[in-house]
Amino acid sequence: MKNWLRNRTPPEAPAAPPPTGGRHQRPGEVGSAVAAPSAGSAETVLKRLEWTVIRRLDGLLQGDYRTLMRGAGLDLADLREYQHQDDVRHIDWNVTARTDVPHVRVFTEDREMAAWFLMDLSPSVDFGSGDLRKRNVSAEFVAVLARMLTRHGNRIGALLYGSGVDAVIPTRGGRRHVLHLLHTLQTRPATSEGGPTRLRDLLDSAAGLIKRRSTVFVVSDFISEPGWERALALLAQRHEVVAVRVLDPLELQLPDLGLLTLRDAETGEQVLVDTHDAAFRKRFARIAAQREAELREALVRAGVDALELSTDADLVDAVIRFTEMRKRRTRLSVGGGMPAHLKQAA
């Protein structure tokens, strides 16, 4: 039952996404597969996101970009006396010996970095119970993050997965490159049914391709064959990895809609279910909750940060929550770097 329910699409869902429109969308919105948008539509979408999302983030983050993204290097900027919760690994023992007062090095972070977006565009991301599909949400997130990064002089690239890793966009900077990535996502046709997703293939390809330490965003619904967990953990050992999980509320709980035909998005298999049956809905919710717990546990074991994007939630709120979580984690890691005897002495 678990394997069957986890990949279901909504009742009588069309093979291609419906015309865009709704809470976040405009004509020519990213993710629409009804007609191939022109390059001008990518410009329109990016301008809309810059006005409605990025400007709000600029006002709300207030410098927290440094918390959201980490560079690859550090430059020594100054020395100062040791303070409570400073990382003891930054103590300058030569200066401490000369002055008899503990001093720590203060670093300026090298902000130039490369960010990669590993995008799962398998058939299951074409699901959406409302105006937006998961593909729309992931495309908007990538456009926003890519523009924020390139505005600070960083480079972005992408690996795209359909039925396999079929496209690589090399890392470059600038707004034009963001438009190229967005246009590629817009004009990419929906993947036809061809079997279950193998997320491990995407992660293994990234591990072989990305040589220099980078920030890697794995944008997926994580509906995949098993085996991706170890590949994600290995990728996180070399890079700073963020798991961006896209989901739809209907994947967690079914409403009472009577008899429905549910179709597997990736195999085309169909089954008739009675959602009026309260026991069936309860069993569906229990299986979905179990999968949620297993997924979150797997991400924790892999040592990656996680950001959840829902088709019925506000993108800005999600990024703000993620930033606050990263800030708390940074403070805890700094405090945790102090040996126990120094904590007691402080």
Side-chain angles (χ1 to χ4, degrees):
M1 178 66 72
K2 174 184 174 182
N3 291 336
W4 173 258
L5 290 176
R6 67 177 185 173
N7 287 356
R8 291 301 167 267
T9 56
E12 301 177 358
T20 56
R23 181 170 54 84
H24 286 303
Q25 296 174 298
R26 300 291 185 272
E29 179 77 19
V30 293
S32 174
V34 177
S38 65
S41 65
E43 175 74 29
T44 300
V45 170
L46 186 56
K47 283 184 178 180
R48 175 178 62 79
L49 292 173
E50 287 173 337
W51 277 94
T52 61
V53 178
I54 297 177
R55 287 187 64 183
R56 287 177 62 193
L57 286 172
D58 283 342
L60 294 172
L61 292 181
Q62 296 179 344
D64 284 342
Y65 167 81
R66 297 179 64 86
T67 301
L68 188 62
M69 312 295 173
R70 299 184 62 85
L74 296 172
D75 295 324
L76 179 63
D78 200 0
L79 291 167
R80 61 168 172 79
E81 290 188 9
Y82 177 87
Q83 299 176 5
H84 179 57
Q85 291 189 344
D86 281 340
D87 192 333
V88 295
R89 292 173 297 182
H90 295 163
I91 292 178
D92 189 312
W93 295 107
N94 291 329
V95 175
T96 298
R98 289 198 303 268
T99 62
D100 289 331
V101 177
H103 279 70
V104 294
R105 303 184 187 95
V106 179
F107 295 95
T108 300
E109 191 171 8
D110 177 12
R111 296 308 309 160
E112 183 177 351
M113 57 169 281
W116 285 86
F117 296 97
L118 311 187
M119 301 204 62
D120 173 11
L121 301 175
S122 59
S124 62
V125 302
D126 286 319
F127 172 73
S129 59
D131 294 328
L132 290 176
R133 296 182 178 237
K134 291 187 288 184
R135 180 188 293 262
N136 302 126
V137 175
S138 61
E140 287 197 352
F141 169 81
V142 168
V144 168
L145 262 291
R147 187 64 190 117
M148 290 179 65
L149 285 166
T150 55
R151 289 198 310 169
H152 288 83
N154 302 301
R155 295 168 291 113
I156 57 104
L159 273 72
L160 308 184
Y161 177 96
S163 56
V165 181
D166 49 27
V168 177
I169 299 178
T171 56
R172 291 189 177 87
R175 191 174 187 275
R176 184 185 296 272
H177 189 54
V178 177
L179 285 171
H180 169 63
L181 172 58
L182 185 54
H183 178 66
T184 301
L185 296 176
Q186 285 182 296
T187 56
R188 182 184 176 89
T191 304
S192 60
E193 299 163 353
T197 301
R198 292 177 292 274
L199 190 58
R200 178 179 177 177
D201 293 348
L202 175 61
L203 299 172
D204 287 342
S205 296
L209 177 68
I210 307 173
K211 303 301 182 182
R212 182 181 178 185
R213 179 173 174 82
S214 305
T215 298
V216 179
F217 296 92
V218 183
V219 186
S220 172
D221 56 9
F222 290 90
I223 297 176
S224 169
E225 284 190 339
W228 57 266
E229 298 87 351
R230 175 170 172 77
L232 182 65
L234 292 175
L235 191 67
Q237 291 179 4
R238 184 170 183 179
H239 305 283
E240 185 173 8
V241 179
V242 179
V244 183
R245 191 270 184 102
V246 290
L247 70 156
D248 186 273
L250 204 61
E251 295 173 325
L252 306 179
Q253 192 167 13
L254 282 177
D256 183 358
L257 298 174
L259 287 174
L260 295 178
T261 300
L262 302 182
R263 178 175 61 88
D264 189 306
E266 300 185 341
T267 65
E269 192 175 359
Q270 297 183 359
V271 64
L272 182 67
V273 299
D274 183 9
T275 61
H276 185 63
D277 184 350
F280 172 77
R281 297 199 309 272
K282 184 179 297 186
R283 188 164 63 253
F284 182 96
R286 184 177 68 252
I287 294 173
Q290 181 181 351
R291 179 183 180 270
E292 288 292 298
E294 292 174 350
L295 175 58
R296 288 169 181 168
E297 183 181 351
L299 295 178
V300 170
R301 287 198 307 267
V304 303
D305 287 334
L307 169 63
E308 289 191 351
L309 302 176
S310 177
T311 57
D312 68 343
D314 185 73
L315 178 60
V316 172
D317 292 341
V319 176
I320 294 299
R321 287 196 307 271
F322 176 67
T323 305
E324 292 299 320
M325 180 269 290
R326 298 272 289 189
K327 288 170 63 178
R328 289 194 300 270
R329 176 170 173 173
T330 300
R331 288 196 296 266
L332 289 174
S333 65
V334 170
M338 186 185 302
H341 69 282
L342 287 181
K343 290 184 180 179
Q344 294 173 359

